[in-house]
Amino acid sequence: MAMYWKICMALTLALFVQVFAQYQRRKVGGWNDVNEDNQGVQTALNFAREEFNKISNNGYIVKIIRTIKLKRQVVSGTKYRMEVEVTMSSGNNYETESYPDEAHQTKICRFEVLSIPWQNHIELLNHSCK
């Protein structure tokens, strides 16, 4: 019986250590790195670009060149924080990429998007481009 107790304690301790290690790597409700290939990130990036272009008076994002930092936070849905390098144009036809090179400016943009797929809701919370 004593051996059974020791085995149970060892297994419980091992399980506790494993759960604690997982928690340290990914804190519940905290911001976590996310891969560029993630479908949610791609949806959020495209949405942020479209919304920015609708409301912008300072130019239009023509193309996202590269991602710099991507974070995700699970809340009542998913929040995405994205820092990307973009090319921008002051032209009014931002859907095409056929601008001359001299009309493009490279900027760093930061977006925060909230996505609640089961409610068919997506929202641009914050944005800035410098």
Side-chain angles (χ1 to χ4, degrees), residues 115-126:
S115 175
I116 309 172
W118 58 91
Q119 292 181 354
N120 200 26
H121 176 82
I122 188 164
E123 177 182 359
L124 181 60
L125 301 174
N126 292 306

Side-chain angles (χ1 to χ4, degrees), residues 5-16:
W5 174 252
K6 288 179 183 178
I7 291 171
C8 286
M9 284 300 292
L11 289 174
T12 302
L13 182 59
L15 180 61
F16 176 77

Side-chain angles (χ1 to χ4, degrees), residues 34-92:
V34 64
N35 192 312
E36 182 177 354
D37 297 333
N38 179 285
Q39 182 61 42
V41 168
Q42 289 302 312
T43 300
L45 273 173
N46 290 331
F47 177 79
R49 177 183 169 266
E50 290 171 11
E51 287 299 301
F52 181 86
N53 286 343
K54 284 180 191 175
I55 61 177
S56 177
N57 294 325
N58 298 328
Y60 301 100
I61 297 173
V62 176
K63 184 178 181 181
I64 296 173
I65 300 171
R66 69 181 175 99
T67 58
I68 298 169
K69 190 184 298 184
L70 302 171
K71 298 271 189 186
R72 173 177 62 188
Q73 180 184 35
V74 177
V75 290
S76 300
T78 306
K79 279 186 181 178
Y80 296 95
R81 279 190 186 159
M82 303 163 292
E83 185 174 343
V84 294
E85 183 178 3
V86 301
T87 55
M88 295 188 73
S89 174
S90 59
N92 58 5

